[in-house]
Amino acid sequence: MATAEIERELASLRTRLEDWNYQYHVLDAPSVPDAEYDRQMLRLRELEAEYPHLVTPDSPSQRVGAGPLAQFSQVRHELPMLSLDNAFSREELLDFNRRLLDRLGASADPVEFACEPKLDGIAVSLLYREGILERGATRGDGSTGEDITHNVRTIASVPLRLRGEGFPSLLEVRGEIYLPRAGFEQLNAEARERGEKLFVNPRNAAAGSLRQLDSRLTARRPLQMCCYSVGLFEGAELPARQSDVLEQLRAWGLRINSESRVERGIEACDAYYEELAARRASLPYDIDGIVFKVNDLALQRRLGFVSRAPRWAIARKFPAQEELTRVLAVEFQVGRTGAITPVARLEPVFVGGVTVSNATLHNADEVERLGVQIGDQVIVRRAGDVIPQIVSVVTQARPADAKPVTFPDACPVCGSVVERAADEAVLRCMGGLVCPAQQKAAIRHFASRRALDIEGLGEKLVEQLVDRGLAGNVADIYRLSREQWLSLERLGEKSADNLLAALEESKSTTLARFIFALGIREVGEATAAGLARHFGNWEALLDASEEALLEVPDVGPVVADHLRQFFDSKDSLAVVDALRAAGVHWPDVEPVAAEELPLAGQTWVVTGKLETLGRNEAKACLEELGAKVAGSVSARTHTVVAGPGAGSKLGRATELEVPVIDEAGLLELLAEHGIKL
């Protein structure tokens, strides 16, 4: 083949792959299957291997990483990368606005602001010359950073060549490189398997990834970049508003945050802060606040700078998700399956918006990995509704009287023998149904909303039932008389009658809910629903062999083994028989293969507040119909269910022309397919 033909094919392959890369990593709207992308990339690499003199630095094949550097070189920023002033309260945000109005005059009220989530990552600068990525650098001290070009080239959302036209001959783009939570969990899971030290948090992992001298290591880490501003530029004009600058960057192939928006007036900014704070834990990445910038660039220039920060911007910070405290003691809790979990009792500390005094230590392996001792100073983390956990120990501050954590030789509740299986990190009480802790946990789970939903049977009542010997298993709660319920503390006649009514109502359930309520190890809601669909009735499930159980989606050898152990246990089946004798019942269903379900192969997204169902219950119902429920909207999304307060996901659905229904539409769909709520 002539060189001219090779050059044309290479150019075509590079353009096609960059288009697909842009659609996938910047627009979140993939247009081809991964297999097709891989085939075209393989063809590109084959041609470049055969004709190495035709390899270009902006080729998609050049993201794989090169050999290690000896050290990082220094980069001086032509325009300093300034820090921002912070506001930690609504009052401080209002003070910021008053200062703006004093300088701009009352006629400027209300000011229009560009609002952008403050990603918890690493600030970087990208320099493009004639549209080609020339250099990447860290912020450093604001004046001087480190040259990390070899590493940023491996990040898929960083274009090696700008798209479109009209970009400046010299363009410096500034943004944040971060590690999504899913990628962080994956990195730590792999490190745990290799017995290596774990990263403390996603920001720490992102920083470590960017400071790899061997960029091949960086290439294996799923880093992302979002742009938030422009520094130096020459040879073209940029839009006059911050929000329009960001849209222009996106048109040139750079990723911007989909949660960004424009608000008019500081009260609207404060409302946006509250909205995003409420959704913070559900975002796929960490943010530690919101940045508010005067949107008009001419006004920004009028306002100028003070010291090392602009007068026209401020970061309203969320409550810290990590804080320093001390371990006062370690106690051991026994769960529903007998798992003995060490729990650190801490000096109370305000973190993640609440006061934390306890943190889980998970198991013996985690205690050993952390090296935590009683008396240690530790960093504790709480993100949203996640259970607080200790992420690292400040060993330099360890007191002389620190004590190692010693695991019990017997169950701390019932005194039964404890065992640790060879393939598990968990220590378990073998007392089973004679262990009060396991009895309490099993009843709480059985009565929980996603199981049999027995309203009014809370933790305090369950504690009393077991401690007084009134209930030893879940079937016992149905045989108690009204007088026995009234004998419990803090339960009056009206509450007792309401509870008895809730117990009676709970007897009518579904096979999926019943399976889940039994608390069989590793059997969650989705697995329980899959078992119910596959077998249709309890008897067929009870008689199923391990091989038959393995035919159910989401059931692997471990889950199948736990199921068979439960079905082979006389004690477990006696409880099931007692429940059925008490009147707990459900309709049999026609067995159906997963691929035959009405929503099979569809991806749905639920956003906003749902008044009747709640988002978790809506998710469970959609999964029961075969849908996959995702956390973000893309071109692959089939339908979005949007309740009041739906934010960027609704906007994204509108932008991609994805169908949107409200809660009433969802309820109608569920009723149409026979799901009773």
Side-chain angles (χ1 to χ4, degrees):
M1 196 182 296
T3 301
E5 292 177 68
I6 292 293
E7 288 178 345
R8 280 195 294 273
E9 183 176 1
L10 282 169
S12 175
L13 283 167
R14 288 166 184 156
T15 299
R16 195 177 310 136
L17 286 164
E18 276 303 329
D19 283 346
W20 292 344
N21 192 61
Y22 172 71
Q23 290 156 7
Y24 187 97
H25 291 285
V26 177
L27 300 183
D28 289 325
S31 57
V32 295
D34 292 346
E36 179 61 17
Y37 181 95
D38 292 341
R39 279 192 290 270
Q40 299 293 324
M41 178 63 81
L42 178 62
R43 174 59 178 163
L44 174 65
R45 286 177 176 158
E46 286 174 345
L47 285 177
E48 289 183 338
E50 190 174 350
Y51 302 94
H53 62 288
L54 296 180
V55 177
T56 59
D58 61 326
S59 172
S61 66
Q62 300 305 296
R63 293 190 184 276
V64 295
L69 300 175
Q71 62 181 24
F72 290 104
S73 59
Q74 300 293 299
V75 171
R76 183 157 188 84
H77 301 298
E78 287 83 354
L79 290 177
M81 294 183 69
L82 302 175
S83 56
L84 294 174
D85 284 337
N86 294 321
F88 294 95
S89 67
R90 169 181 160 84
E91 290 68 31
E92 290 180 356
L93 184 66
L94 296 178
D95 286 342
F96 162 73
N97 188 58
R98 278 193 288 271
R99 292 194 298 271
L100 288 183
L101 297 181
D102 285 346
R103 289 183 174 275
L104 295 174
S107 60
D109 188 24
V111 175
E112 186 178 77
F113 292 94
C115 314
E116 304 157 27
K118 189 175 184 299
L119 290 161
D120 196 9
I122 310 301
V124 297
S125 158
L126 304 178
L127 190 66
Y128 288 88
R129 194 178 300 274
E130 303 300 340
I132 304 293
L133 178 64
E134 182 176 281
R135 188 189 71 202
T138 61
R139 177 182 178 275
D141 63 4
S143 298
T144 304
E146 290 180 323
D147 189 329
I148 53 168
T149 308
H150 67 307
N151 283 336
V152 297
R153 289 177 62 84
T154 71
I155 300 172
S157 50
V158 173
L160 303 178
R161 174 193 288 272
L162 296 179
R163 299 172 60 82
E165 55 188 25
F167 41 77
S169 56
L170 185 69
L171 175 66
E172 182 198 3
V173 179
R174 293 172 175 183
E176 200 88 0
I177 288 178
Y178 63 98
L179 189 65
R181 289 181 188 145
F184 170 70
E185 296 298 336
Q186 175 192 330
L187 270 186
N188 270 353
E190 293 170 354
R192 194 177 286 113
E193 285 180 10
R194 296 190 297 265
E196 297 174 355
K197 182 179 178 182
L198 304 191
F199 289 107
V200 172
N201 53 45
R203 187 185 188 282
N204 173 266
S209 300
L210 283 181
R211 298 208 78 257
Q212 294 290 330
L213 290 171
D214 188 343
S215 62
R216 291 169 297 191
L217 297 176
T218 308
R220 294 201 289 268
R221 298 181 177 177
L223 296 169
Q224 288 279 11
M225 178 173 174
C226 270
C227 302
Y228 55 67
S229 70
V230 167
L232 189 70
F233 64 94
E234 297 173 0
E237 291 296 319
L238 291 178
R241 301 194 318 158
Q242 164 75 10
S243 54
D244 293 335
V245 169
L246 293 182
E247 286 301 325
Q248 181 61 75
L249 292 178
R250 179 158 69 172
W252 288 334
L254 291 142
R255 187 185 185 94
I256 64 172
N257 196 292
S258 60
E259 298 285 351
S260 300
R261 67 171 70 167
V262 174
E263 297 289 1
R264 194 165 185 82
I266 205 66
E267 290 295 340
C269 291
D270 188 56
Y272 174 55
Y273 171 89
E274 295 297 338
E275 177 205 322
L276 203 56
R279 294 193 289 113
R280 179 186 185 190
S282 65
L283 296 175
Y285 43 76
D286 280 357
I287 60 175
D288 57 8
I290 300 177
V291 177
F292 300 107
K293 300 176 182 176
V294 172
N295 201 27
D296 188 317
L297 299 185
L299 291 183
Q300 287 187 12
R301 289 189 288 272
R302 261 181 69 187
L303 289 162
F305 301 84
V306 55
S307 183
R308 296 172 60 82
R311 290 193 180 97
W312 40 264
I314 198 165
R316 171 84 191 273
K317 301 296 287 290
F318 292 132
Q321 292 185 297
E322 291 182 354
E323 282 293 353
L324 199 64
T325 186
R326 190 173 299 280
V327 178
L328 302 178
V330 173
E331 298 174 2
F332 296 89
Q333 294 181 346
V334 182
R336 173 171 50 85
T337 62
I340 297 175
T341 303
V343 176
R345 305 303 182 196
L346 309 169
E347 283 184 355
V349 62
F350 193 74
V351 55
V354 300
T355 299
V356 169
S357 55
N358 305 312
T360 180
L361 286 168
H362 299 290
N363 52 50
D365 284 358
E366 183 71 358
V367 171
E368 183 179 353
R369 183 190 69 77
L370 286 168
V372 64
Q373 296 189 14
I374 299 167
D376 272 342
Q377 209 172 68
V378 295
I379 295 172
V380 65
R381 178 177 174 82
R382 180 186 180 274
D385 295 327
V386 177
I387 298 170
Q389 60 180 326
I390 292 172
V391 293
S392 64
V393 177
V394 185
T395 53
Q396 303 92 320
R398 174 167 289 160
D401 60 349
K403 298 175 184 176
V405 177
T406 305
F407 277 71
D409 297 322
C411 175
V413 175
C414 70
S416 297
V417 65
V418 295
E419 291 183 5
R420 177 176 174 177
D423 59 343
E424 287 189 344
V426 176
L427 195 69
R428 292 187 189 277
C429 163
M430 306 310 291
L433 294 177
V434 306
C435 179
Q438 294 183 59
Q439 294 168 359
K440 293 173 184 176
I443 295 172
R444 285 197 301 268
H445 173 76
F446 186 85
S448 64
R449 186 179 179 196
R450 299 186 198 178
L452 261 63
D453 192 18
I454 306 174
E455 190 172 350
L457 187 54
E459 184 173 349
K460 297 296 183 184
L461 290 183
V462 173
E463 292 273 341
Q464 292 184 67
L465 287 176
V466 176
D467 290 344
R468 294 188 184 189
L470 293 173
N473 62 58
V474 295
D476 289 340
I477 62 177
Y478 289 103
R479 64 169 180 77
L480 297 178
S481 66
R482 184 173 186 270
E483 288 68 29
Q484 286 173 307
W485 284 110
L486 283 170
S487 72
L488 300 179
E489 295 175 10
R490 302 181 189 175
L491 193 67
E493 292 197 8
K494 184 175 181 181
S495 296
D497 289 338
N498 289 340
L499 180 53
L500 285 165
L503 282 163
E504 192 62 33
E505 187 179 346
S506 73
K507 291 178 182 179
S508 178
T509 186
T510 65
L511 179 57
R513 275 181 175 261
F514 182 74
I515 296 168
F516 174 64
L518 292 174
I520 303 168
R521 281 178 63 189
E522 308 289 343
V523 177
E525 286 178 277
T527 303
L531 290 165
R533 282 195 303 264
H534 188 85
F535 292 103
N537 62 73
W538 175 258
E539 287 69 28
L541 173 59
L542 185 62
D543 294 337
S545 65
E546 250 184 84
E547 290 74 20
L549 291 169
L550 288 169
E551 294 176 6
V552 181
D554 295 330
V555 174
V558 173
V559 175
D561 182 55
H562 291 323
L563 285 162
R564 278 282 20 122
Q565 285 184 41
F566 183 91
F567 299 144
D568 292 338
S569 165
K570 291 181 180 178
D571 290 336
S572 298
L573 294 187
V575 172
V576 173
D577 289 342
L579 285 167
R580 301 184 79 174
V584 177
H585 64 282
W586 53 86
D588 291 343
V589 294
E590 191 68 32
V592 58
E595 60 271 14
E596 296 174 5
L597 291 169
L599 304 186
Q602 298 179 14
T603 298
W604 286 56
V605 172
V606 181
T607 183
K609 184 177 181 182
L610 303 186
E611 301 291 344
T612 303
L613 283 177
R615 284 163 62 172
N616 286 325
E617 195 170 352
K619 178 182 177 184
C621 291
L622 288 166
E623 288 174 341
E624 191 174 335
L625 293 176
K628 175 186 174 185
V629 181
S632 59
V633 179
S634 73
R636 296 178 183 176
T637 304
H638 183 276
T639 305
V640 170
V641 180
S648 62
K649 292 177 187 176
L650 178 57
R652 186 72 173 142
T654 304
E655 181 184 332
L656 296 175
E657 298 183 351
V658 172
V660 177
I661 63 173
D662 59 11
E663 186 175 14
L666 174 61
L667 293 173
E668 185 178 331
L669 174 76
L670 298 179
E672 179 185 326
H673 291 292
I675 293 186
K676 296 179 181 179
L677 304 172

